[in-house]
Amino acid sequence: MNLDTPVLNLMGVARQQSLKHSFCGLGPFVAKKLNKLGIKTLGDLIYHLPFRYEDFSNITPIAKLKPANTEHRRGISKSQATLGFTKKPVPNEIFCIKGIVKDIETTKAWKKQMEITTAIVEDETGAIKAVWFNQPFMEQNLHIGNEVYLAGKVKLGKTGLFLSSPIYEISKYQNSEMSSLNHTGRVVPIYQETIGLTSRWFRNFFAKNLPQIIASQKEFLPQEILKQHNLLPFSQALYQAHFPDSMEMAQKAKNRFAFEELFLIELFVLRERMKINQQKSPSIPILADEIKKFVDSLPFKLTDSQKKCAWQILKDTEKTNPMSRLLEGDVGSGKTLVALIGALNCFKNGYQSAIMAPTEILATQHFKTAAILLRKSKIKIALLTGKKDEIISQKLGYEKDGQFMPETIEISRTKVLEKTRRGEINLLIGTHALIQDKVKFGNLGLVVVDEQHRFGVAQRAKLCQKTKTFQGLIPHLLSMTATPIPRTLALTIYGDLDLSLLDQMPQGRKPIITKIFTPDQREQAYEFIKEHLKKGEQCFIICPRIEKKETPDNEPFKKNIWTNAKTVKEEYEKLSKEIFPKFKVAFIHGKLKVGEKEKIMRDFKNNKTQILVSTSVVEVGVDIPQATIILIEGAEHFGLAQIHQFRGRVGRNDIQSYCFLFADSPSKNTKARLSAIIKAKNGFELAEKDLEIRGPGSLIGDKQWGISDIAMANLNNLQLIETTRTEARALLTKDPFLRQYTILSQKIANFGEKIHLE
Ligand code: ADP
Ligand code: MG
């Protein structure tokens, strides 16, 4: 059975293979619901693993049932504690019994407009009532004389103990060929559900179909690896994941799947890396004298980190192996300059380079920075934007009050493209249109991608295709990001990139003063801001959401807190009208059009507005020297590393800057978490904490990578990651094309299509 078969076609497959009763209930209707859970193929379906289990494997004699203890939930008062009550957790509040149905009937409680089905169930030790609310069909499910298993909470009612809406299973109907119980009397899987597809549905489906599906599948992990790491073989693991013999076996099954997927990720990224390495890039010699001249011409000294990273990049571009490097550094650590050193070395060797930025405003900023810093070299830089095209030649610039003022001339887009193609533009700066448009380079040596965590595999392939020189060479690639990436992620989803860390800030920067405010200090904070605005400084105010309607998709458990979180729209109204009526307040958020956002940012950059109320979207990397205060509302809604990045938006100047944190629910936990930000020296520490507490989504956005929950949960398991990486590397060294591992190779190919690590 092919695991790629769409669930919709499974019925057909079963018919073809005359597996008469297989996949019953799997029509288009169910397929649609499965789709809602992201299940499209048979493979997705069998890998829809339980997210937890209930242990109903112990059958309790009815006489021994005890009501669920709810005391510990309410907490225990001091007086109760002195009376000898302790906060002992109740071990397992859910009981499983086995008995005979003696009676069953449904009555209507008129007042409550509720139908109550009550069954009496008896074993050798006694009898108990089982009660279901508004499930009159229970009467059709259970009949007098049935031997049943019931699992549920025991409660104390007016007439004694009863089982409250227990899960049921009739033992008499059990087909002896199947592994007897599916819903009770064992360790029972609980699945992520959707309306109409309950855990019960999944258990029934798997009980019927799993054995034959498993029988048609082969192991694809190498035997040596299974042995060495004590992993369950595929068929056993799959069965034990859905119907474990014990909690231990469930865990062992999970271990196998975690290993399997991380191993596939590692094989995938290492193979991608191999593919890139099969291509060639121009070898660009390091012209040390030229670079020294440039560095000496700068108005500041490079940090040691900048020197180290620039050197790593230059060493890479000297090789014919294409560089795939990620330059990571906090906001303001000076990544652009490091990239410019690479670009300059390219220019001096007769190669072109390109810098891509996520927005026009950032591209424009890079263009100006490059023009100013590289003014003494003869490099020709052009800015390619949507609206107008500019080309700058440093000869056109002039010194004014000791400062170099670049002068730009505007030329048509066509002309920029033509000059780029002819190699007359040495450094082309622009948005992603650079690789999407009709841009052709003469001899591109280096591409720099700014503020993008990861230049994905697909994009890289496109870039290579577009920019191959006539000798068939592809450019070296440098990505830059301010998002700190913990080591575990660097080894997995970023595993095909080499890392350079800018872990030092330029000298002379005043550390930003960070302060956590309590709600009653709000006035004080506003007064402080007013004082600074009067001096011509500017302020960011960050809110967790745009407007009240919005709810977070991925954190339903936080909905309560969330509904109170401040919104950009409301804050903007309040701040502009009541609090800061004398100042110009603007707002920005992700739902605005690109053009609007750019204009708002430009106005703020040019000091036309003093306060910018914003969601987390404020373009990273935009340099706003007069912005000295950033006030973050609802700080508990943000990751620590994210707050750290926000904080980097101020402090671009030698004026003292401030970061004020407000929390809507200043619990002890929140305070402890936030205070880590005050102590942290760089984003990496905070990123590790975020990964641990909030998972990878909090660091690089909740992108759908196509990775399973188990793999996601293991993205902070450094030991497992290192093990799988070592094994993946060893296997590829032994057999680079996995010729002896055809099923595994096929798996990786399929996996590569499914995931999108970008
Ligand atoms: P980011 O890493 O956030 O992209 P930038 O490259 O925009 O940072 O640099 C921030 C600012 O710091 C720029 O104005 C840049 O010119 C300046 N800068 C870069 N390196 C140094 C240094 N070694 N000393 C002082 N200032 C520097
Ligand atoms: Mg930057």
Side-chain angles (χ1 to χ4, degrees), residues 593-657:
K593 292 204 188 80
V594 175
E596 288 177 279
K597 282 194 281 188
E598 296 252 352
K599 181 174 183 317
I600 295 165
M601 283 313 288
R602 211 169 310 126
D603 285 350
F604 194 56
K605 192 176 162 88
N606 297 334
N607 216 339
K608 283 190 192 156
T609 45
Q610 281 94 54
I611 298 179
L612 187 60
V613 186
S614 142
T615 51
S616 59
V617 299
V618 184
E619 320 293 344
V620 200
V622 178
D623 212 343
I624 301 178
Q626 292 308 311
T628 55
I629 303 174
I630 184 159
L631 185 155
I632 299 167
E633 296 283 3
E636 74 272 37
H637 297 290
F638 298 107
L640 298 178
Q642 203 180 1
I643 295 180
H644 181 70
Q645 270 192 43
F646 292 155
R647 178 164 63 178
R649 290 176 192 155
V650 295
R652 290 296 185 99
N653 202 313
D654 48 8
I655 316 171
Q656 179 63 56
S657 289

Side-chain angles (χ1 to χ4, degrees), residues 331-332 334-336 362 365-366 450-451 480 482 620-622 652:
V331 182
K335 294 183 285 292
T336 319
L362 257 185
Q365 182 178 302
H366 284 328
D450 190 27
E451 293 307 347
M480 307 199 289
V620 200
V622 178
R652 290 296 185 99

Side-chain angles (χ1 to χ4, degrees), residues 484-648:
I485 297 169
R487 197 169 136 64
T488 46
L489 295 190
L491 287 174
T492 49
I493 54 176
Y494 295 88
D496 53 339
L497 298 173
D498 291 319
L499 266 190
S500 287
L501 300 187
L502 269 186
D503 48 11
Q504 246 176 341
M505 281 303 212
Q507 268 190 347
R509 292 265 166 84
K510 290 208 174 83
I512 295 158
I513 295 175
T514 304
K515 189 167 161 23
I516 303 171
F517 279 88
T518 54
D520 56 314
Q521 293 169 314
R522 191 168 278 282
E523 282 309 307
Q524 213 182 309
Y526 288 153
E527 277 311 310
F528 187 92
I529 293 173
K530 272 181 209 160
E531 288 308 308
H532 283 259
L533 293 182
K534 280 182 201 153
K535 290 191 240 167
E537 296 170 31
Q538 290 168 286
C539 172
F540 285 106
I541 295 189
I542 309 282
C543 300
R545 54 185 189 149
I546 303 174
E547 54 196 339
K548 275 272 189 275
K549 291 204 284 272
E550 216 194 352
T551 50
D553 327 318
N554 49 345
E555 292 182 74
F557 63 95
K558 284 210 167 147
K559 274 209 172 112
N560 281 342
I561 314 175
W562 183 254
T563 49
N564 294 326
K566 292 220 162 18
T567 66
V568 165
K569 291 196 175 159
E570 286 174 347
E571 281 303 284
Y572 168 73
E573 289 295 317
K574 189 183 95 181
L575 295 171
S576 58
K577 295 196 176 127
E578 294 165 29
I579 317 276
F580 301 108
K582 289 196 186 130
F583 299 94
K584 289 215 176 64
V585 186
F587 71 89
I588 188 170
H589 55 73
K591 287 199 181 148
L592 295 176
K593 292 204 188 80
V594 175
E596 288 177 279
K597 282 194 281 188
E598 296 252 352
K599 181 174 183 317
I600 295 165
M601 283 313 288
R602 211 169 310 126
D603 285 350
F604 194 56
K605 192 176 162 88
N606 297 334
N607 216 339
K608 283 190 192 156
T609 45
Q610 281 94 54
I611 298 179
L612 187 60
V613 186
S614 142
T615 51
S616 59
V617 299
V618 184
E619 320 293 344
V620 200
V622 178
D623 212 343
I624 301 178
Q626 292 308 311
T628 55
I629 303 174
I630 184 159
L631 185 155
I632 299 167
E633 296 283 3
E636 74 272 37
H637 297 290
F638 298 107
L640 298 178
Q642 203 180 1
I643 295 180
H644 181 70
Q645 270 192 43
F646 292 155
R647 178 164 63 178

Side-chain angles (χ1 to χ4, degrees), residues 15-277:
R15 236 174 277 130
Q16 262 170 30
Q17 304 184 354
S18 48
L19 303 167
K20 261 195 185 149
H21 297 290
S22 313
F23 305 125
C24 43
L26 240 183
F29 187 63
V30 172
K32 215 170 165 185
K33 294 186 167 187
L34 286 170
N35 268 335
K36 268 198 183 153
L37 291 170
I39 300 170
K40 299 210 167 73
T41 63
L42 178 60
D44 296 340
L45 183 53
I46 63 169
Y47 273 84
H48 187 62
L49 301 178
F51 68 94
R52 69 182 178 89
Y53 299 88
E54 288 284 7
D55 190 351
F56 297 153
S57 50
N58 291 323
I59 308 293
T60 309
I62 290 177
K64 294 236 164 113
L65 293 177
K66 286 194 189 86
N69 181 358
T70 44
E71 272 319 306
H72 71 289
R73 289 229 200 86
R74 292 194 204 119
I76 284 173
S77 68
K78 238 187 188 164
S79 57
Q80 280 173 318
T82 43
L83 283 172
F85 288 97
T86 49
K87 246 187 176 174
K88 254 192 225 152
V90 175
N92 185 2
E93 290 191 335
I94 295 184
F95 290 99
C96 186
I97 64 160
K98 180 184 179 186
I100 308 284
V101 179
K102 286 290 170 187
D103 194 11
I104 181 159
E105 65 168 349
T106 301
T107 53
K108 283 197 176 158
W110 289 109
K111 264 190 228 157
K112 293 190 180 169
Q113 296 197 325
M114 197 193 281
E115 291 186 287
I116 302 175
T117 308
T118 310
I120 309 287
V121 178
E122 186 185 81
D123 69 3
E124 306 87 62
T125 69
I128 188 166
K129 257 198 293 189
V131 178
W132 292 271
F133 303 96
N134 285 334
Q135 299 179 39
F137 50 84
M138 282 308 297
E139 241 186 289
Q140 268 95 66
N141 296 341
L142 296 184
H143 298 109
I144 295 177
N146 285 159
E147 186 184 61
V148 293
Y149 288 83
L150 297 177
K153 263 186 198 157
V154 178
K155 291 189 178 163
L156 185 59
K158 279 185 198 137
T159 55
L161 295 182
F162 68 96
L163 274 164
S164 171
S165 301
I167 301 172
Y168 74 96
E169 186 156 36
I170 300 171
S171 58
K172 198 177 76 185
Y173 291 161
Q174 292 306 317
N175 179 343
S176 59
E177 273 176 52
M178 285 191 265
S179 74
S180 61
L181 295 167
N182 301 321
H183 310 289
T184 57
R186 58 168 306 133
V187 175
V188 172
I190 313 289
Y191 298 91
Q192 198 199 333
E193 305 176 338
T194 180
I195 296 169
L197 287 185
T198 58
S199 288
R200 199 173 182 94
W201 184 91
F202 282 106
R203 293 193 287 260
N204 284 333
F205 178 84
F206 288 131
K208 257 187 227 120
N209 299 302
L210 205 51
Q212 67 183 43
I213 299 172
I214 284 176
S216 69
Q217 298 304 312
K218 290 205 183 83
E219 176 62 74
F220 55 90
L221 290 183
Q223 288 300 328
E224 316 83 77
I225 290 183
L226 291 181
K227 228 190 247 163
Q228 166 128 32
H229 299 283
N230 191 20
L231 301 172
L232 291 183
F234 177 76
S235 53
Q236 202 188 351
L238 196 59
Y239 198 81
Q240 290 296 326
H242 291 291
F243 294 113
D245 291 340
S246 62
M247 285 295 210
E248 288 73 43
M249 286 309 281
Q251 186 55 49
K252 275 202 89 166
K254 264 193 167 172
N255 293 349
R256 141 94 201 198
F257 289 114
F259 188 104
E260 170 188 309
E261 196 165 339
L262 287 176
F263 185 62
L264 287 178
I265 293 178
E266 295 297 357
L267 282 171
F268 176 75
V269 293
L270 291 173
R271 276 246 295 222
E272 283 308 312
R273 186 63 190 261
M274 259 172 52
K275 273 191 218 156
I276 289 281
N277 280 349

